[in-house]
């Protein structure tokens, strides 16, 4: 299949592995963060860490939209369904994220609340038109990849004049999160040691490679945007090692078949029309971050569920045994969590990292990587 099979060639993977081993300086250790959960799953699924020399350490990042949702945001969605009687619609993984009191959207659905899983956010408009007597709320999550579709339905709802439709907006932004991680690494022991980043693929198709240039220059950390196939990731690792060896800190684009410097101008214009920056937003594991998330533009306030229902956000601490926060910051690996694979499994998750199809814990559990030796993985992140 075009753009798939040729990026899964085992012979080429071995050649890239040999090049990485050849060019990685044995006198140093390379700590490279794959920001996106899609890359984390590719590394686990294809066993890419096994192809790397011991001094190339992959660090898991917070680029999983379900994982970074704090418990308080799930609680607010549950409030919409249970206390306000709204029909709450969202994507599949969000349904299973643990909330307060052992609840989740899936559990309150089983108790009788009207919570619906959708494949497309556009389906919420259809539901609002079919049920004019019900308040229909789209629980919107995701990075810049899923934000344009939400922008589209906001514009369509306004055009249709829907009075029973609103969006509970939880869209977050990639560059501020990377900047925050680097600030932590620079300023305190809470941060992971990071030498470079594998930049997210789908996000970058929207925001473009130029969006990473400010923090690459400020923190002197290279970024290589990569696709999700195994050869994409291996090539990106080689490119990062070459930059570090040359003492360069540039933004390079391995994923040229989909990503441009400026990104998708139409998608960015839609986002600018329908959203504005929040002053601050809580991320699971990373805490409050300024200018790191979006809220609905004042011109579309009539479709803002937080304003319509008077939602008040309340911070809720994570489960005491759960290490999702440390994993999302890159300072721990899933196997460092005492409940990983025992009390916490995909069937019975204690934290969001075990829920999402992009979560680091789910990747390690699904592909059995937690049984591997510690070589080349994130446990040595502060070595």
């Amino acid at each position: 299949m075009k753009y798939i099979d040729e990026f899964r060639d085992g012979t080429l993977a071995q050649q890239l592995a040999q090049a990485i081993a050849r060019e990685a300086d044995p006198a140093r250790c390379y700590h490279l963060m794959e920001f996106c959960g899609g890359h984390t799953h590719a590394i686990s699924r294809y066993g890419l860490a096994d192809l790397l020399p011991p001094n190339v350490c992959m660090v898991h990042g917070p680029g999983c939209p379900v994982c970074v949702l704090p418990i308080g945001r799930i609680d607010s969605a549950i409030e919409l369904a249970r206390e306000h009687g709204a029909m709450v619609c969202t994507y599949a993984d969000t349904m299973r994220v643990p909330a307060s009191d052992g609840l989740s959207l899936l559990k309150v659905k089983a108790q009788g609340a009207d919570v619906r899983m959708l494949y497309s956010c556009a389906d919420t408009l259809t539901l609002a038109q079919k049920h004019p007597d019900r308040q229909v709320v789209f629980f919107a999550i995701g990075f810049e990849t899923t934000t344009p579709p939400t922008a589209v339905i906001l514009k369509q709802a306004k055009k249709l004049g829907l009075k029973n439709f609103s969006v509970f907006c939880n869209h977050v932004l990639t560059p501020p999160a990377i900047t925050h991680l680097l600030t932590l690494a620079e300023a305190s022991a809470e941060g992971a040691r990071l030498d470079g980043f594998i930049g997210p693929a789908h996000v970058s198709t929207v925001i473009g490679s130029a969006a990473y240039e400010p923090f690459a220059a400020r923190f002197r950390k290279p970024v290589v945007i990569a696709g999700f196939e195994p050869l994409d990731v291996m090539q990106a690792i080689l490119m990062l090692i070459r930059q570090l060896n040359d003492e360069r800190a540039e933004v390079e684009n391995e994923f040229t078949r989909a990503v441009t410097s400026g990104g998708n101008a139409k998608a960015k214009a839609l986002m600018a029309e329908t959203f504005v920056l929040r002053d601050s937003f809580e991320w699971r594991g990373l805490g409050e971050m300024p200018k790191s998330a979006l809220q609905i533009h004042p011109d579309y306030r009539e479709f803002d569920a937080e304003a319509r229902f008077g939602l008040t956000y309340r911070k809720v601490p994570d489960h005491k045994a759960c290490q999702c926060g440390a994993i999302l910051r890159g300072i721990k690996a899933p196997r460092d969590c005492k409940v990983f694979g025992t009390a916490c499994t995909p069937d019975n998750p204690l934290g969001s990292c075990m829920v999402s199809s992009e979560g680091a814990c789910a990747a390690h559990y699904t592909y059995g990587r937690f049984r591997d030796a510690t070589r080349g993985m994130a446990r040595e992140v502060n070595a």
Side-chain angles (χ1 to χ4, degrees), residues 337-358:
C337 181
K338 293 181 179 179
V339 295
F340 173 82
T342 54
C344 183
T345 67
D347 290 333
N348 183 42
L350 295 182
S352 57
C353 294
M354 188 62 90
V355 173
S356 173
S357 57
E358 294 187 358

Side-chain angles (χ1 to χ4, degrees), residues 218-379:
R218 173 184 169 188
F219 294 96
R220 298 296 300 163
K221 302 296 182 184
V223 180
V224 176
I225 297 160
F228 290 122
E229 296 303 322
L231 296 192
D232 286 316
V233 178
M234 293 294 286
Q235 179 65 31
I237 292 170
L238 179 59
M239 292 167 72
L240 284 170
I241 288 172
R242 286 173 174 169
Q243 282 208 55
L244 291 166
N245 288 347
D246 295 341
E247 297 185 349
R248 291 182 290 120
E250 301 170 3
V251 178
E252 294 183 316
N253 182 14
E254 183 277 338
F255 198 34
T256 54
R257 61 190 187 274
V259 173
T260 62
S261 175
N264 188 318
K266 186 173 183 179
K268 291 194 292 185
L270 278 169
M271 291 163 60
E273 178 185 347
T274 51
F275 299 101
V276 293
L277 282 173
R278 290 182 186 267
D279 290 334
S280 183
F281 190 83
E282 184 191 4
W283 293 49
R284 185 189 296 257
L286 279 72
E288 289 280 340
M289 285 195 287
K291 311 297 184 183
S292 64
L294 300 173
Q295 65 185 24
I296 294 174
H297 194 286
D299 290 349
Y300 290 82
R301 182 177 171 82
E302 62 189 295
F303 303 108
D304 187 339
E306 292 179 76
R308 176 174 293 186
F309 296 98
L311 296 180
T312 301
Y313 180 69
R314 295 178 294 276
K315 290 187 178 182
V316 180
D318 289 342
H319 192 289
K320 290 182 179 180
C322 177
Q323 295 295 319
C324 272
I327 292 167
L328 291 168
R329 292 196 303 276
I331 61 175
K332 288 190 177 182
R335 65 179 170 279
D336 294 325
C337 181
K338 293 181 179 179
V339 295
F340 173 82
T342 54
C344 183
T345 67
D347 290 333
N348 183 42
L350 295 182
S352 57
C353 294
M354 188 62 90
V355 173
S356 173
S357 57
E358 294 187 358
C361 294
H364 279 245
Y365 190 93
T366 300
Y367 301 110
R369 296 297 162 189
F370 60 95
R371 301 187 186 95
D372 293 347
T374 58
R375 177 181 63 82
M377 300 297 285
R379 176 172 282 180

Side-chain angles (χ1 to χ4, degrees), residues 53-287:
N55 61 331
V56 177
C57 306
M58 301 309 298
V59 183
H60 311 310
C64 162
V66 171
C67 300
V68 299
L69 268 179
I71 290 175
R73 289 274 156 181
I74 306 296
D75 285 353
S76 292
I78 290 173
E79 177 187 334
L80 285 169
R82 297 178 85 184
E83 297 182 23
H84 298 282
M87 182 190 300
V88 176
C89 306
T90 191
Y91 300 125
D93 285 346
T94 316
M95 300 275 288
R96 300 177 55 244
V97 179
S100 298
D101 303 320
L103 293 174
S104 67
L105 283 168
L106 190 62
K107 288 180 179 178
V108 299
K109 175 181 175 65
Q111 294 172 358
D114 195 349
V115 180
R116 306 195 183 194
M117 182 192 78
L118 301 177
Y119 290 103
S120 169
C121 61
D123 292 341
T124 56
L125 297 181
T126 303
L127 287 169
Q129 290 174 297
K130 285 184 176 180
H131 302 277
D133 57 327
R134 297 288 308 282
Q135 286 292 325
V136 178
V137 180
F138 176 54
F139 183 13
I141 71 162
F143 288 88
E144 293 91 341
T145 313
T146 55
T147 307
T150 305
V152 170
I153 62 170
L154 283 168
K155 286 177 65 68
Q156 290 176 336
K158 192 167 189 176
K159 184 177 181 180
L160 292 168
L162 293 178
K163 302 300 182 183
N164 64 325
F165 170 79
S166 57
V167 172
F168 178 34
C169 181
N170 294 272
H171 286 300
V172 291
L173 303 174
T174 302
I178 299 179
T179 299
H180 185 74
L181 289 169
L182 290 170
T183 301
L184 285 177
E186 192 176 69
S188 75
E190 291 186 21
R193 177 178 169 183
L194 301 173
D195 297 316
F197 288 86
I198 297 178
H202 294 153
V203 163
S204 301
T205 63
V206 176
I207 66 175
S209 60
Y212 305 95
E213 292 174 359
F215 69 77
R218 173 184 169 188
F219 294 96
R220 298 296 300 163
K221 302 296 182 184
V223 180
V224 176
I225 297 160
F228 290 122
E229 296 303 322
L231 296 192
D232 286 316
V233 178
M234 293 294 286
Q235 179 65 31
I237 292 170
L238 179 59
M239 292 167 72
L240 284 170
I241 288 172
R242 286 173 174 169
Q243 282 208 55
L244 291 166
N245 288 347
D246 295 341
E247 297 185 349
R248 291 182 290 120
E250 301 170 3
V251 178
E252 294 183 316
N253 182 14
E254 183 277 338
F255 198 34
T256 54
R257 61 190 187 274
V259 173
T260 62
S261 175
N264 188 318
K266 186 173 183 179
K268 291 194 292 185
L270 278 169
M271 291 163 60
E273 178 185 347
T274 51
F275 299 101
V276 293
L277 282 173
R278 290 182 186 267
D279 290 334
S280 183
F281 190 83
E282 184 191 4
W283 293 49
R284 185 189 296 257
L286 279 72

